[in-house]
Amino acid sequence: MNWREMCFAPAAGTRLANLAELQEGRVREAMFGSGKDAFRLLLMREGDAVRVWLNRCPHFGIPLNNEPNRFVLLPERKIMCAFHCAVFRIDDGHCEDGPVKGDTLTPIEIQIDERGDILIAAEPT
Ligand code: FES
């Protein structure tokens, strides 16, 4: 699945947040559009880098959280789907336990500009 073809997917250059707005070790959600087709992202800062994943569990294709910006974080930088407990590593999106063990979250390519703004990266050519 190419996330760029999904409903409400943000275009290259769209600003997601600024580094200063992200708290180390916390997951923050960004959303484009609304309703069940909203395009939802997870952002997690680690120093001057940020991991961004599509907030869509590969099990049922729904967000990992059932309340806005509230996620089940586990030790060792893992996040658990609130619905059927799939456990994903935040560093590489790999699911290491639960009903979609071995699957992965979808990475979102970003770039960080000189002001610390986190932007959707251009599509690789
Ligand atoms: S929807 Fe995430 S584990 Fe089932």
Side-chain angles (χ1 to χ4, degrees):
M1 168 192 45
N2 182 347
W3 64 265
R4 293 180 192 267
E5 295 170 3
M6 293 175 67
C7 199
F8 300 119
T14 301
R15 181 185 181 278
L16 301 178
N18 186 278
L19 271 180
E21 299 166 351
L22 300 181
Q23 205 175 335
E24 191 93 31
R26 301 286 304 267
V27 171
R28 176 170 158 169
E29 189 173 30
M31 189 178 326
F32 297 88
S34 59
K36 69 175 183 56
D37 291 330
F39 189 90
R40 299 166 70 151
L41 301 171
L42 305 171
L43 294 85
M44 187 176 201
R45 179 177 179 170
E46 41 182 336
D48 286 338
V50 178
R51 303 260 184 217
V52 182
W53 303 101
L54 186 64
N55 183 10
R56 181 183 167 111
C57 180
H59 188 210
F60 280 5
I62 58 177
L64 298 177
N65 54 324
N66 57 12
E67 288 184 53
N69 268 313
R70 295 199 61 172
F71 294 92
V72 182
L73 297 179
L74 304 176
E76 300 176 359
R77 300 175 53 77
K78 294 174 189 170
I79 186 168
M80 186 167 74
C81 178
F83 295 94
H84 310 108
C85 304
V87 176
F88 300 89
R89 296 192 301 242
I90 289 172
D91 288 343
D92 62 5
H94 178 80
C95 179
E96 59 177 39
D97 200 7
V100 285
K101 185 174 180 178
D103 213 330
T104 57
L105 297 174
T106 301
I108 304 295
E109 302 81 20
I110 53 123
Q111 60 189 59
I112 301 174
D113 72 12
E114 67 283 350
R115 295 178 305 237
D117 282 338
I118 303 155
L119 310 169
I120 296 287
E123 192 161 8
T125 54

